[in-house]
Amino acid sequence: MSATAAPATADQAGKPKEAKKNRLSGGFFRFVLTRFLLIIPTVFILVTVVFFVMRATGDPISAALGGRLTPQELQARIHAAGYDKPLIVQYFEYLGNLLHGDLGTTMTDNQPVVSILARYGSATFELAFLALIVALVVGIGLGRVAARRRDHAADAGIRTFAILCYATPVFFLGLILKLIFAIWLNALPASGRSSLATEMQFSRLVSPTGFYIIDALQLGDMNVLADVLRHAVLPALALGLLTAGVFIRLVRTNVISTFNSGYVEAARSRGVSEKRLLNKHAWRPALIPIITVMGMQIAMMLAGAVLTETTFEWKGLGFMLSQYLKARDFVAVQGIVILIAIIVAVVNFIVDVIAALIDPRVRY
């Protein structure tokens, strides 16, 4: 009889665990679906705001070409583009075109905005990726050291470094890096994404990706790869250190907070080493706010790319945005800003999902 009861008991014990697992899985997928659907109103609001702000100073053709055309020619261009229609009619037409992937045509060089995004977007993504690596390596590494050496000289030095990174304007930091490494030491290039010889090598590629690191690997030429990386060092440092300053302070604060929690004190009383306490007990709970803030920092990084790319003549979306702003080409500006907004919304969605995987409490 006992032998018969044992499997029943095991089945009963297993059912609550299975039900709990299914309930958690259902809650997680509901959370993911909700966060994904929130991308739609977020992007819609941003598109609407950008559209009406861009039109606040008048129609794009008058802004871009006013003074260069006769009044008759200007009026003809405005009528052909439909900018003499009521603003609300223009808005709904723009939304309709947007749903079909049509972002319009630039006023200054008569190019489809989609082709501008495709041509220069890869440069911005490559710079943002490299800058994020710098921010994570420097920010997390020094933040952990500062937490372990709390109130020591190393902690004070790292906190001062973090404040300087965060407070220094990215364009000024870029100029300082260029002055030191490009002019005084003559160790790194001052501008551009690659040398002229490398650009000629890339022209041989049948299907270039626009990501110079990937294209260099396609060529299989280590000299080309080295040239691309040398050009990327200073822009990635300038943009990455700005975000690293935030990560240092955030990692330090959260690791110290978890170090003082009850379960860590209990582990310490059992003789667990400080290194193990940091790596096994305090680090994972401290990750949650760091990952959450990372989404906002990536958004700031994309905003900082405008100044960074202009400083280093890194021809990406930020550089082109500054050029189109000077030319008052609102159609191009609008397309670039919308793409950046979509990227930020998607990145924040991914960050929320990662945070929910680490800490189930985020889902509720």
Side-chain angles (χ1 to χ4, degrees):
M1 183 175 179
S2 59
T4 306
T9 305
D11 291 342
Q12 291 173 358
K15 285 181 181 179
K17 292 180 180 179
E18 185 178 351
K20 183 178 180 181
K21 181 178 178 181
N22 291 336
R23 186 167 63 251
L24 288 175
S25 299
F28 173 72
F29 286 113
R30 281 195 299 272
F31 170 82
V32 171
L33 180 61
T34 302
R35 287 295 298 114
F36 179 77
L37 292 177
L38 283 174
I39 294 176
I40 298 172
T42 301
V43 173
F44 173 74
I45 291 170
L46 288 170
V47 166
T48 302
V49 170
V50 170
F51 178 88
F52 285 104
V53 167
M54 290 290 101
R55 299 301 192 280
T57 56
D59 66 272
I61 293 179
S62 297
L65 302 176
R68 285 185 271 173
L69 299 175
T70 65
Q72 293 78 12
E73 290 174 334
L74 188 62
Q75 193 59 41
R77 292 283 296 271
I78 291 172
H79 179 72
Y83 290 124
D84 54 352
K85 297 178 182 178
L87 194 58
I88 192 67
V89 174
Q90 295 182 44
Y91 172 65
F92 283 111
E93 287 183 351
Y94 179 76
L95 288 181
N97 293 333
L98 194 62
L99 290 175
H100 290 89
D102 183 7
L103 294 174
T105 304
T106 61
M107 299 287 118
T108 50
D109 47 12
N110 199 34
Q111 296 186 66
V113 175
V114 173
S115 68
I116 298 293
L117 301 180
R119 187 184 313 164
Y120 297 102
S122 54
T124 297
F125 297 153
E126 188 170 59
L127 175 59
F129 175 74
L130 295 172
L132 184 60
I133 292 175
V134 171
L136 291 174
V137 171
V138 175
I140 292 177
L142 292 183
R144 284 167 62 108
V145 172
R148 288 188 63 184
R149 305 294 299 169
R150 180 184 181 185
D151 297 331
H152 288 74
D155 180 28
I158 291 172
R159 280 188 289 167
T160 303
F161 174 73
I163 293 171
L164 288 174
C165 287
Y166 183 71
T168 305
V170 65
F171 70 89
F172 182 74
L173 178 59
L175 292 174
I176 294 296
L177 291 174
K178 287 173 70 172
L179 180 65
I180 295 173
F181 293 100
I183 297 176
W184 290 352
L185 300 179
N186 195 25
L188 294 169
S191 61
R193 294 183 66 194
S194 65
S195 64
L196 180 59
T198 296
E199 294 285 350
M200 293 177 65
Q201 291 275 40
F202 286 150
S203 65
R204 293 166 37 206
L205 286 172
V206 177
S207 56
T209 64
F211 295 90
Y212 277 13
I213 293 176
I214 297 176
D215 290 343
L217 292 174
Q218 283 191 64
L219 287 171
D221 191 333
M222 291 299 104
N223 292 327
V224 171
L225 180 61
D227 179 64
V228 169
L229 292 176
R230 288 180 70 250
H231 279 80
V233 169
L234 294 184
L237 275 176
L239 188 56
L241 288 178
L242 174 69
T243 307
V246 178
F247 284 170
I248 289 171
R249 295 174 63 84
L250 193 62
V251 169
R252 177 186 179 274
T253 301
N254 285 282
V255 170
I256 289 174
S257 176
T258 52
F259 255 138
N260 295 328
S261 59
Y263 66 90
V264 173
E265 290 293 340
R268 185 179 286 114
S269 67
R270 293 195 299 269
V272 178
S273 67
E274 292 296 313
K275 183 177 181 180
R276 184 175 178 81
L277 285 175
L278 175 64
N279 295 330
K280 300 295 183 181
H281 295 78
W283 176 236
R284 182 170 175 175
L287 271 179
I288 298 165
I290 295 168
I291 291 174
T292 303
V293 171
M294 190 184 297
M296 292 184 289
Q297 292 304 314
I298 290 174
M300 291 182 62
M301 191 175 288
L302 289 172
V306 177
L307 293 175
T308 307
E309 291 179 5
T310 304
T311 302
F312 289 96
E313 296 179 26
W314 182 281
K315 293 188 178 179
L317 288 179
F319 179 82
M320 295 308 298
L321 180 61
S322 66
Q323 301 302 308
Y324 284 125
L325 278 171
K326 292 176 185 175
R328 303 192 71 188
D329 192 331
F330 291 166
V331 177
V333 171
Q334 191 170 261
I336 294 172
V337 171
I338 287 172
L339 176 64
I340 293 175
I342 292 172
I343 294 169
V344 170
V346 171
V347 167
N348 277 281
F349 163 72
I350 294 171
V351 166
D352 286 344
V353 172
I354 294 173
L357 287 172
I358 294 174
D359 186 0
R361 293 173 299 177
V362 175
R363 306 170 198 171
Y364 300 103

